[in-house]
Amino acid sequence: MKSSVLGIRDFKPSGCLYWALANKLVIVLTLMIPVLLLVVFFRPFGVEDLGSALSAPSGLPCNNNNINNRPMTDENLGGDKHGGMVDVLLSALQTDGNPHIRFYQTQTVPTFPMFVCENCKCDICDGVVGLGYFAPVETSIFRHILGGNGGCHHDDAGGGAHHHLQQQQQLVVDVGANVGYFSAYATALGCRVASFEPNRNPRRYLEASAALQDPQHHTWKIYPLAIGKEEKRVNFTEEESWGVSHITKRKLVEVADQEVEVVLLDTIVKEDVLLLKVDTEGYEAMVIGGSHNVLKNHNVQNVVVEVKNFNEHDVRDFLFDLKDSGHFTHVYNYLEEYFKPMDLSVFSLDQATMYDVTDIVANKRYEQELKHEDFWFRKEPFKSLNV
């Protein structure tokens, strides 16, 4: 045997040495496997996990422009059982910044999956991360309306079995869907959903949750549009929180601003609506102004709307017009306790701070002040939640 400077170049290991090395390798792997399992199963998922952790994807980043204009159609969603989520998530990874993306099961009844960002401008995400839900009173109103008999599923005597099944699923319209919390909840309760969200940043999370729950978009449709009383293109300003972003008359001078398309709800929705939810940060009158045909010619059973400056006369007139145009018989004004810890499995709307303001709204009693910014319009009196 020739020796090198290090004395190992021409060394020929014996079979005993191979055996000893193999034994050591087995011991090392045996010790490492439990550690690896602990790391994989007991740490939170981060952005770096998304490409491979398909069984528990973690969401879409805050400021990615790569999928902004990518429509969520049957063709590009793909045919696999995950509804093309692999492509969407991999595309979403191509972004700057360091968003903390998470995939959560809510603590609602029933529970549902959704994507959230822990360090984005997202109050809904904060609620889901911290409490497992957001806006408990409105969540309970959704459950009251959509759950049980007469909710998302109802009896219909028409057509064959397939037609009967389609007719059973009633429609929920979510104007100002944000990251999709209420749309996802309505889907989990069994309704068809039409979501409208012009802001591209929260809409990515909305699209991801929809692709997860309804990969082929048979029951959940998403529209990257604003709803108003006339068709046009307007400027959209993103504020400190996604939840208070709004349409503005300002010029597009900031990088966060966007130009969005406004359409009438009347041009898209041409059927009865079980629940119309409107949360558009001061743009509510414009939304209802573009919904007159829906309200007049179809049966819109419930409207849940957040109204700013609700004691100003012109806003009170808007509330009157909404009640009148929708033929609603009851109007309720309630206090939303967004981040109040509670057990939604036992919480009842009887426990909420809620007032019947039908007389105040119907008779334009301006001298009587309304108390809260959230309103619930109905065509029958509210009854206790017994589900």
Side-chain angles (χ1 to χ4, degrees):
M1 178 181 69
K2 295 181 181 180
S3 299
S4 66
V5 174
L6 296 178
I8 60 173
R9 179 178 298 174
D10 297 319
F11 176 71
K12 297 182 179 180
S14 66
C16 291
L17 181 58
Y18 280 129
W19 179 255
L21 291 172
N23 279 339
K24 290 183 179 295
L25 181 60
V26 169
I27 293 172
V28 170
L29 290 175
T30 302
L31 293 173
M32 288 181 63
I33 287 174
V35 176
L36 291 173
L37 289 175
L38 286 172
V39 170
V40 170
F41 289 105
F42 291 94
R43 68 181 179 86
F45 282 93
V47 174
E48 65 276 9
D49 305 301
L50 295 181
S52 59
L54 185 58
S55 61
S58 303
L60 302 175
C62 308
N63 53 355
N64 170 50
N65 290 320
N66 295 304
I67 62 171
N68 177 36
N69 296 315
R70 182 183 184 187
M72 303 293 286
T73 62
D74 291 353
E75 180 179 356
N76 65 33
L77 281 173
D80 62 27
K81 65 180 180 179
H82 301 288
M85 282 300 296
V86 176
D87 293 338
V88 176
L89 293 174
L90 288 178
S91 175
L93 287 175
Q94 301 173 17
T95 180
D96 297 326
N98 185 31
H100 298 164
I101 314 302
R102 297 292 183 266
F103 173 76
Y104 274 88
Q105 285 287 140
T106 64
Q107 298 301 310
T108 54
V109 181
T111 185
F112 61 90
M114 69 175 294
F115 296 90
V116 299
C117 178
E118 291 185 333
N119 64 338
C120 298
K121 301 178 291 186
C122 177
D123 52 355
I124 295 177
C125 301
D126 294 340
V128 172
V129 171
L131 299 170
Y133 56 81
F134 176 75
V137 177
E138 190 166 337
T139 298
S140 298
I141 289 175
F142 264 65
R143 182 186 173 199
H144 177 75
I145 297 171
L146 310 184
N149 295 329
C152 288
H153 296 275
H154 66 101
D155 294 331
D156 192 325
H162 180 66
H163 174 77
H164 178 72
L165 181 61
Q166 284 188 323
Q167 289 296 314
Q168 277 188 324
Q169 287 188 283
Q170 298 202 67
L171 178 65
V172 171
V173 178
D174 188 357
V175 180
N178 203 277
V179 294
Y181 173 85
F182 287 107
S183 292
Y185 193 33
T187 301
L189 286 163
C191 277
R192 290 179 296 120
V193 178
S195 302
F196 296 85
E197 179 49 60
N199 189 348
R200 60 176 174 252
N201 288 319
R203 192 174 64 244
R204 296 184 190 104
Y205 294 81
L206 170 68
E207 290 172 341
S209 294
L212 187 70
Q213 287 200 52
D214 181 28
Q216 301 305 321
H217 286 245
H218 293 309
T219 60
W220 187 352
K221 306 291 183 182
I222 297 173
Y223 300 86
L225 305 168
I227 299 297
K229 65 178 182 180
E230 60 180 335
E231 295 185 351
K232 56 184 178 179
R233 296 191 68 83
V234 298
N235 301 333
F236 189 93
T237 296
E238 183 171 300
E239 302 290 355
E240 284 303 311
S241 169
W242 290 344
V244 297
S245 299
H246 57 278
I247 288 173
T248 179
K249 295 181 180 179
R250 294 193 298 114
K251 294 182 179 180
L252 293 174
V253 294
E254 297 179 7
V255 66
D257 285 358
Q258 310 164 38
E259 188 177 52
V260 301
E261 183 179 355
V262 180
V263 301
L264 280 67
L265 191 65
D266 291 335
T267 64
I268 297 177
V269 177
K270 301 180 182 297
E271 62 178 277
D272 293 346
V273 176
L274 176 58
L275 171 59
L276 167 61
K277 181 217 123 192
V278 181
D279 185 355
T280 52
E281 299 303 316
Y283 205 68
E284 297 79 26
M286 300 296 103
V287 172
I288 299 303
S291 309
H292 280 312
N293 288 340
V294 176
L295 292 166
K296 179 181 178 181
N297 299 325
H298 300 285
N299 181 20
V300 180
Q301 297 181 42
N302 298 270
V303 172
V304 172
V305 57
E306 179 184 286
V307 180
K308 303 299 183 183
N309 305 314
F310 47 84
N311 277 315
E312 294 183 2
H313 281 203
D314 59 336
V315 180
R316 297 285 286 270
D317 289 340
F318 155 70
L319 294 173
F320 170 84
D321 291 340
L322 174 55
K323 179 188 179 300
D324 187 58
S325 61
H327 308 291
F328 296 106
T329 58
H330 294 80
V331 184
Y332 298 95
N333 186 207
Y334 63 92
L335 170 65
E336 183 57 83
E337 301 179 86
Y338 289 98
F339 299 105
K340 182 178 180 179
M342 61 179 66
D343 184 350
L344 291 186
S345 66
V346 298
F347 176 73
S348 167
L349 285 177
D350 291 329
Q351 301 169 259
T353 302
M354 186 179 298
Y355 304 93
D356 186 335
V357 294
T358 307
D359 178 67
I360 297 176
V361 172
N363 295 297
K364 296 187 176 181
R365 300 191 186 281
Y366 300 122
E367 72 281 2
Q368 293 183 251
E369 288 194 352
L370 300 170
K371 298 180 181 297
H372 309 293
E373 67 179 10
D374 292 292
F375 295 84
W376 179 14
F377 292 75
R378 287 177 59 82
K379 291 186 174 177
E380 59 184 33
F382 163 68
K383 297 179 181 179
S384 298
L385 181 65
N386 293 313
V387 295

